Amino acid sequence: MSRFSAVDVISAKRDGDELSDDAITWVLDAYQGGDVAEEQMSALLMAIYFQGLGHRELRTWTDRMIASGETLDLRGLSRPSVDKHSTGGVGDKISLILAPLVAACGAAVPQLSGRGLGHTGGTLDKLESIPGWRAALSNDEIRHQLESVGAVICAAGQGLAPVDRRLYALRDVTSTVESIPLISSSIMSKKIAEGTQALVLDVKVGRGAFIKDIERARELATTMVELGVSHDVATVAQLTAMNEPLGQAVGNALEVIESVRVLQGDGPRDVRELTLSLASSMLSLVGIDEDPAAKLDDGSAYEVYRAMIAAQGGDPDAHLAPSKLHETIEAIDDGVVTRVDALRVGVSAWRLGAGRARKEDDVSAGAGVMCLVREGDRVTKGQPLFEIFADDESHLTQGRDTIRDAFVLNGVPDDALPLLVETITA
Ligand code: URA
């Protein structure tokens, strides 16, 4: 019989005691094995939500999450491996450009990604708007593509940190998602299990991010960097602004089209700037001395993108089109755009059909929003501000209602956040 009981572990954490490594190991293993009930784990998660986890506790908790499944072994590749993880933002298509760019500079980029839920889109949903493209790869296929192309963006296998999937679902229904140790261990267990040598975290902060204030974003970033480093993954974090959407396009095919424009040397300046900044951090972590701007401008990154899409069955030359039904939202007055609210633009794109409410829902490839103005722009009455796209009238109506609240003309501007707020290192 075990020397631990779930009730003792819960009450110890509830009362603010530190849990021993053995207690943490036991409780996660017993939960995975079915000997700790969902309601007991729910209570423990709530106790952690209020009492937190110390450094040692968090490290052990994360270790056990990693040990709950398989780990990918990327040693032995001819290139150093480095990945990027974003905490999620609106119009965040950076991975689509960054992975081939960093591969073009000589690294292997294993981007094991997820699908979107709620107002932020998922990288896999975006790429699935390319006909034939396949998200599910075996571990052998991932290794082979990393060796041959240098970049892979695919679905994280069910075998990586499987206990996280159950804990995340439980947190979702027990209002315990917003806990820094629980978010950190959830994200980092999957990234560490993926086997990357180095990792850059893009921690979003602002209206469209799930963390709105800089202090909390800094705490999350610091906690994740410490966890990465303590697991021998060279990790840095950049806090980046998510008040207004990144770039103009928000929606699956729309974002792929915009990413290709950036890969062809064009596209919105903020998308290019953030991509280059993250690329520089990734390259410096693995000691590659290449200029990513040069690889973007000379077409090498675009070549790798094409190879990456083709290697997964996609047609890089396929014509991607927005949904047929569309409408333009115009300025009703002259003035200055004082707010473009990323969260509301994201919700609008979602209601237009680009996102899903439940994980089994389908998404529309062509639905979404094009943001034609940015905060600070001067506009005249009748000037187009947004263009919205949907597959049917009902989605168009829902998206239109939300987009009308997504901007403010002639209001009082908030303090602007720079695109790159700060960098957190170990
Ligand atoms: N993403 C994750 O994978 N886990 C969290 O807890 C939050 C965001």
Side-chain angles (χ1 to χ4, degrees):
M1 205 177 104
S2 162
R3 63 197 173 92
F4 294 104
S5 86
V7 174
D8 290 345
V9 175
I10 296 163
S11 49
K13 188 40 76 185
R14 180 200 63 196
D15 296 343
D17 294 344
E18 281 215 356
L19 301 178
S20 68
D21 291 342
D22 286 349
I24 292 172
T25 301
W26 174 80
V27 80
L28 283 174
D29 288 355
Y31 175 63
Q32 190 174 16
D35 294 328
V36 164
E38 298 291 338
E39 59 271 22
Q40 292 175 312
M41 186 50 83
S42 304
L44 181 59
L45 292 172
M46 188 58 85
I48 292 173
Y49 178 92
F50 282 112
Q51 299 289 359
L53 290 173
H55 288 286
R56 178 195 50 75
E57 291 176 295
L58 180 57
R59 199 194 134 108
T60 307
W61 183 275
T62 309
D63 283 344
R64 291 320 296 175
M65 288 175 67
I66 298 167
S68 72
E70 61 176 0
T71 50
L72 239 70
D73 186 359
L74 299 181
R75 287 167 307 178
L77 287 178
S78 61
R79 308 152 169 247
S81 57
V82 56
D83 192 8
K84 185 264 318 187
H85 176 82
S86 159
T87 56
V90 176
D92 186 357
K93 70 270 303 166
I94 299 292
S95 293
L96 276 57
I97 312 158
L98 185 66
L101 171 60
V102 173
C105 294
V109 187
Q111 273 261 303
L112 273 47
S113 306
R115 290 173 201 285
L117 194 59
H119 77 280
T120 60
T123 300
L124 303 181
D125 297 323
K126 296 171 197 178
L127 286 169
E128 278 175 347
S129 58
I130 301 173
W133 186 83
R134 186 165 62 93
L137 298 186
S138 69
N139 292 349
D140 280 348
E141 286 174 316
I142 293 172
R143 284 183 60 87
H144 180 261
Q145 191 170 320
L146 284 173
E147 199 58 77
S148 57
V149 178
V152 59
I153 301 179
C154 67
Q158 302 284 312
L160 292 183
V163 90
D164 175 63
R165 207 160 311 115
R166 285 181 58 199
L167 287 177
Y168 193 76
L170 201 53
R171 286 164 58 208
D172 207 21
V173 294
T174 55
S175 202
T176 50
V177 169
E178 291 92 353
S179 147
I180 285 183
L182 295 178
I183 297 171
S184 308
S185 54
S186 166
I187 292 175
M188 293 305 289
S189 59
K190 289 172 284 195
K191 286 288 150 185
I192 295 165
E194 165 195 292
T196 186
Q197 276 170 252
L199 176 67
V200 173
L201 297 160
D202 180 5
V203 178
K204 301 283 183 205
V205 57
R207 290 193 288 269
F210 85 111
I211 300 214
K212 317 276 182 223
D213 77 278
I214 293 192
E215 266 315 309
R216 260 181 81 74
R218 198 176 276 136
E219 193 186 336
L220 176 65
T222 308
T223 307
M224 290 197 290
V225 167
E226 283 169 4
L227 264 182
V229 170
S230 72
H231 286 85
D232 294 326
V233 179
T235 310
V236 299
Q238 293 195 359
L239 302 195
T240 71
M242 186 34 69
N243 274 341
E244 44 183 344
L246 254 177
Q248 291 189 307
V250 182
N252 299 309
L254 295 176
E255 292 192 44
V256 175
I257 295 167
E258 186 166 274
S259 301
V260 168
R261 283 180 52 213
V262 176
L263 284 160
Q264 292 173 332
D266 190 14
R269 205 162 21 141
D270 59 334
V271 177
R272 178 181 163 99
E273 190 187 334
L274 182 54
T275 306
L276 289 176
S277 168
L278 292 166
S280 298
S281 291
M282 290 167 77
L283 293 170
S284 110
L285 279 181
V286 289
I288 293 180
D289 184 18
E290 285 281 355
D291 174 12
K295 296 285 179 197
L296 203 51
D297 294 337
D298 70 8
S300 335
Y302 184 46
E303 279 310 308
V304 176
Y305 168 83
R306 295 175 60 81
M308 175 181 91
I309 298 300
Q312 290 172 240
D315 175 4
D317 293 315
H319 175 67
L320 303 184
S323 300
K324 290 260 178 314
L325 286 181
H326 64 104
E327 196 169 302
T328 305
I329 312 297
E330 297 172 351
I332 47 165
D333 222 336
D334 292 349
V336 174
V337 179
T338 45
R339 176 177 289 200
V340 179
D341 189 307
L343 176 60
R344 291 192 180 179
V345 174
V347 172
S348 172
W350 172 43
R351 295 202 171 139
L352 287 161
R356 54 171 71 73
R358 291 166 309 152
K359 59 178 191 309
E360 47 290 342
D361 293 347
D362 286 332
V363 296
S364 156
V369 180
M370 288 300 288
C371 304
L372 307 175
V373 288
R374 301 195 66 77
E375 289 179 4
D377 285 357
R378 187 162 284 286
V379 294
T380 52
K381 186 172 174 184
Q383 181 175 331
L385 303 176
F386 300 94
E387 194 163 13
I388 57 175
F389 299 88
D391 295 337
D392 55 61
E393 281 295 345
S394 130
H395 282 96
L396 196 69
T397 304
Q398 292 178 52
R400 178 199 302 128
D401 290 347
T402 321
I403 204 73
R404 289 210 166 120
D405 289 332
F407 65 98
V408 177
L409 265 188
N410 299 326
V412 180
D414 288 339
D415 289 341
L417 273 179
L419 182 57
L420 307 172
V421 180
E422 66 188 56
T423 301
I424 310 260
T425 54

